[in-house]
Amino acid sequence: METRRLKQTAYSFMILMLSFQTRVTAQDIVSHKEMQVGVILDMGSGVGKVIYRSITMAISDFYKANPHYITRIVFNTTDTKGEPLIALYAALELLENTKVQAIIGPDPTVEARFLEGLEEKASVPILSFSPSLFSNQNPYLVQIAQDETIQFKAIAAMIQSFELKNVVLICEDTADGRDMANYIIIAFHDKNIHVTYTSQISTAASDEQIREEFYKFQHMQTTTFVMHARPSLASDIFSMAKEVGMMGEGYVWIVTSKTTNFLNFMNDDALESMQGVVGFKSYFPKSRKLHKFVSKWQKEYYGSNPFKEFQVVGFNGILAYDAVYALAMAVEKVHTKVTGASLLNQMLGIKFQGLGGEFKLMNGRTVSNPIEVINVIGKGDRRVGFWMVSGEFVKEIGKTNSSSNSGLEHIIFPGGTTSILKHRRLLMKGKKLRIIVPGFGVFPNLIKMAVDHRTNQPMLSGFCGDVFNTALNALNYGLDLEFTTYPYVEGRAYSDLIDKIYLKEFDAAIGDITISSNRSRYVDFTIPFSDTGVGTITRNAKRSIWIFLDPLSSNLWLTSGGFFLILGFVIWFIEHRINEEFQGSTIQQTGTALWFAFSTLVFAHREKLKSNLSRFVVMVWVFVVLVLTSSYTATLSSLLTVQEIASNGGRVQLPSVSYELLNRSAKLKSPADYARVLRSGSVGAVIDEILYVKTFISLYPAAEFSLVATSKSTITNGFAFVFQKDSPLTREMSIEIAKLREDGTLKALEEKWLKQPSSLISEDVSAPTQNSLDLYGFRGLFLTSALSMALALLVSMVYLLHEKYWRGKNKMEILRSVLRRSHVQSQESDTEPTI
């Protein structure tokens, strides 16, 4: 009986307590003022699910901690399914029909931008989780996430610290992606960082489309990439980068918080392809409150169901939790008269310590906080430091920035290297460096392409080819090379090679290509690997016992000899009638005339001239002989002097040589052309770039041609390798060429190709041949002498004829006189009387 009574008493007490609890709860519900709040999320995405769960947990925790508050937030949730138009429609529906006092979400930037245009329709706070920079045309749009453009300056500062100058920028092909690309380019420009190419990839791009973009990257040969893309697209990009070999040693990948804030949502395959990536992400300081929240999250999502897929809190989950806390606090403060303006004002004035640290809004945005710098290693990320609002990198927050604390921890880049300056490599798997080689074949010692019979692959030879191969092997980049010959046809020039590099038909050009200011506008040149300046080559004189004949050309010798004979005849013709020294037998007269003519060379005339005409002719001829002998003496002296200098290994500029500088591309296209014009005597010397001259000397016997002079003049800039504009190979190859010059390798290669045994100067080689004196230069003198002789002959002949005429006339007169006297005498005898 007593037991039954005790049970009845207990049941009665329980019913009484339940009844009391029901009345108290009913009174609480009636006394609470509900506040309708719209929630617009993509509930199908992992981020959307995390945000929604954080919102519900925040409401539960807030009112559990503040049960005396008279307001309660009631959520009206709409699933956008990732469609911006649905987000816009849901917002209008919530504003007009549900009469919500605030809207939370959405997360995607595209959907948030649609809500930004609700300025005229909405007058309630819209709490957006998008980190993109908005125009703030809608004053009710509150940006909970930190503005992501702040990190762009940090990325530019990091690239500058790496001493990198060229980057490729990868962004989403969306309105927001294009806007963010502009902000990034501006930040890079301030640090003198050149964006080689901006790649805009659609979020729906196929693997083939992404692969095509990477082929473009490989042709640019830029090894630094900055990416601003959502995690789904970033996963596809890094997967392709690993596939084509662009996640190895030498590459630098930097990603923004748009990717790294959601690393926890990326699968293991994606993280595996991102090894060595450097990223910037939002930073939340550790706290007991955050640790308690994360523990509670894990219990609810994992402890209750071990087989349920675990979801981490994530960046947006923490932001959502703090945003709802702030909204609930603002709602409680304006519960008497709730309007959009009053609620917004309260939100902007709220300040508290939330899960993510201090929560404070300024001008509708979260106050900037430090940005965490991470390095993707293994299945997660490793913190390497922070970017502070003051504009500097530090290893830890809150410590004095000393030499040990400044900067970042060591970063492990793709390929496992810790230094991009000393171990940068251009590993381009699946891509060949397309090289064009001039196949004119006229200077084989400089550049020649042949096929290796062992490997059946094209290979370069010659001085230029060896320099390129040696420098490239020193870089150890492991490049696949594809050589293409550019054969010579009429009208084709070296500038055509430059055009092909400029039009990106080829990546580089190797050969005897001269640097010029005009070409440098379109392509990049390495530093010159050849000596600058020009050289002069001439044909060597042959050693002979007849060297005394070399000063005068054959036509001048013959002309001079002919004039000596003519002079002798003219003098004999004038003098032999009146001068006994020019009389005698025929042989005596001939010898006297020749002796007199040739004795004019030394001006020693034993015979005296009696005729003024003879003296006039000899005077003119002596002047001709004076000029002729002086020129002969000077030329012979110069020839013998230069010969002596050359035999002793000296070099001399020949002032008497007639130099003719020809356009090699137009007239002299090969060493054979050089030899032809020198052997023919049409030019006395050929002047060309020093490397062409050395090549010619190495191909022809030194006994025939010599390098007589070199000049370090600035009319030529030397030979160099050609690359596309902004190619990193230009700088790297230039460094290696400088090393080859310093350690003597460049000189050794030049000795190998341009100083063959056949080109070594022999001790028996005589001086270079000079141009002989020819008739052309003395034709005026000979013409003057010829005129004087002709005039003298003419006068002499006229005088002779005149003399003969008067002598004959006098004889006739005498004869007539004699006849006349004889006739008179005969008549007188006939008239005498007869005795």
Side-chain angles (χ1 to χ4, degrees), residues 293-309:
F293 173 77
V294 172
S295 299
K296 182 179 179 181
W297 180 281
Q298 291 176 343
K299 288 180 181 179
E300 292 195 13
Y301 266 86
Y302 187 74
S304 60
N305 186 357
F307 299 102
K308 187 176 182 180
E309 181 181 0

Side-chain angles (χ1 to χ4, degrees), residues 316-562:
N316 278 342
I318 297 175
L319 290 180
Y321 190 95
D322 288 346
V324 170
Y325 243 77
L327 180 61
M329 294 170 65
V331 167
E332 179 64 23
K333 290 183 178 181
V334 297
H335 64 86
T336 56
K337 186 178 181 181
V338 178
T339 62
S342 61
L343 186 57
L344 178 62
N345 290 333
Q346 287 297 332
M347 280 284 297
L348 297 178
I350 288 177
K351 179 180 177 181
F352 67 95
Q353 284 297 124
L355 296 181
E358 184 182 32
F359 184 90
K360 182 180 180 181
L361 298 175
M362 183 177 295
N363 298 326
R365 297 190 180 100
T366 302
V367 176
S368 299
N369 294 316
I371 300 174
E372 186 178 2
V373 184
I374 59 99
N375 191 192
V376 179
I377 302 295
K379 294 185 177 181
D381 57 80
R382 176 179 67 92
R383 179 189 298 165
V384 294
F386 299 90
W387 170 259
M388 305 303 293
V389 179
S390 57
E392 59 183 355
F393 288 105
V394 298
K395 293 183 177 67
E396 297 181 42
I397 296 177
K399 291 189 176 181
T400 304
N401 192 11
S402 60
S403 58
S404 61
N405 186 53
S406 61
L408 300 171
E409 300 286 351
H410 290 297
I411 297 174
I412 301 176
F413 297 98
T417 62
T418 58
S419 174
I420 60 174
L421 298 178
K422 295 182 180 180
H423 303 286
R424 196 150 59 98
R425 297 292 182 267
L426 300 178
L427 303 176
M428 299 182 181
K429 183 178 178 181
K431 188 262 180 186
K432 294 182 178 180
L433 188 67
R434 303 166 301 170
I435 301 174
I436 187 170
V437 180
F440 301 168
V442 294
F443 285 87
N445 283 28
L446 288 182
I447 187 68
K448 185 178 181 180
M449 194 167 70
V451 177
D452 190 341
H453 298 291
R454 294 175 300 175
T455 62
N456 201 30
Q457 296 294 324
M459 63 177 184
L460 288 179
S461 62
F463 175 66
C464 300
D466 274 10
V467 172
F468 178 82
N469 291 330
T470 304
L472 191 65
N473 292 337
L475 290 177
N476 192 26
Y477 280 178
L479 291 169
D480 292 330
L481 306 179
E482 179 181 88
F483 295 105
T484 301
T485 304
Y486 190 61
Y488 176 77
V489 296
E490 191 65 30
R492 183 172 287 179
Y494 281 78
S495 296
D496 297 331
L497 274 75
I498 303 299
D499 293 339
K500 290 188 175 294
I501 304 300
Y502 173 69
L503 297 175
K504 299 185 178 180
E505 296 180 23
F506 294 90
D507 302 311
I510 300 172
D512 49 332
I513 304 173
T514 305
I515 304 172
S516 71
S517 58
N518 182 57
R519 293 173 178 177
S520 299
R521 297 175 183 176
Y522 308 101
V523 295
D524 282 345
F525 285 94
T526 63
I527 62 172
F529 56 82
S530 70
D531 294 334
T532 59
V534 296
T536 304
I537 51 178
T538 63
R539 190 181 183 188
N540 295 331
K542 296 180 180 179
R543 283 188 177 274
S544 173
I545 61 174
W546 306 106
I547 190 172
F548 66 89
L549 296 176
D550 290 345
L552 303 183
S553 63
S554 58
N555 57 2
L556 186 54
W557 277 117
L558 293 175
T559 303
S560 299

